[in-house]
Amino acid sequence: MRTSLQLGVLAAALLLAGARASAHATAQNAQTTGYEIANTLQTKGVTATIGQYFNCENGSGYAFVSGGDPAAVSVAARILPQADACVAGKLQASLRLALIYNPAVVLPFVNSASKLSAAEFCKPADLPADAPVSPDATTAQEMEGSLGVVNSAALAAKKRACLRVIAGA
């Protein structure tokens, strides 16, 4: 017969093992989902991609864009010009966060289309109320700090454009 201490230790060990397995599975999904989003865009088109990953109610793609997943950021940049106001607002908010987490992935898309202008998504703390994250999550200081680590000559003009927008906010 096991003691309650032994059962407690066993339960804790099982919970820890389950948490590790869940974290590993989540990491694997994160690696494949950006690719899956890009694959959906390539094979099914903009409308299907928006419907599957970027609907306004519970689109799972916004989290991948916000985290700076390169494939998801690329998809966001490609579908944003064709998105309706709801989806466009959420994509822009997600790209603002991606600019903090992975600026080198986002900067190439700055000023590449009308809805991708520096004025549109380099604005700090201008997230819609129903954005996938809190408006307090994006600040000028965080954006400036993340842009400060980008030293690519190819991205210099786009970095300056974002910094001008941030300074004027």
Side-chain angles (χ1 to χ4, degrees), residues 17-113:
R20 284 185 181 155
S22 176
H24 180 70
T26 300
Q28 285 182 326
N29 285 342
Q31 289 176 334
T32 60
T33 302
Y35 169 79
E36 288 171 359
I37 295 170
N39 189 48
T40 300
L41 178 62
Q42 185 175 352
T43 59
K44 297 181 181 175
V46 171
T47 304
T49 303
I50 290 173
Q52 187 169 348
Y53 297 105
F54 297 103
N55 63 59
C56 282
E57 290 77 37
N58 59 358
S60 62
Y62 298 111
F64 292 97
V65 175
S66 296
D69 178 276
V73 167
S74 177
V75 168
R78 288 176 57 198
I79 67 174
L80 182 60
Q82 298 174 48
D84 66 24
C86 177
V87 171
K90 288 185 174 190
L91 284 171
Q92 288 169 332
S94 297
L95 286 167
R96 286 184 191 108
L97 285 174
L99 188 63
I100 292 171
Y101 298 122
N102 202 348
V105 168
V106 178
L107 281 174
F109 299 105
V110 170
N111 294 330
S112 64

Side-chain angles (χ1 to χ4, degrees), residues 115-139:
K115 291 182 183 178
L116 290 165
S117 69
E120 287 293 327
F121 75 85
C122 294
K123 295 184 288 188
D126 188 29
L127 301 176
D130 63 345
V133 295
S134 163
D136 296 333
T138 306
T139 66

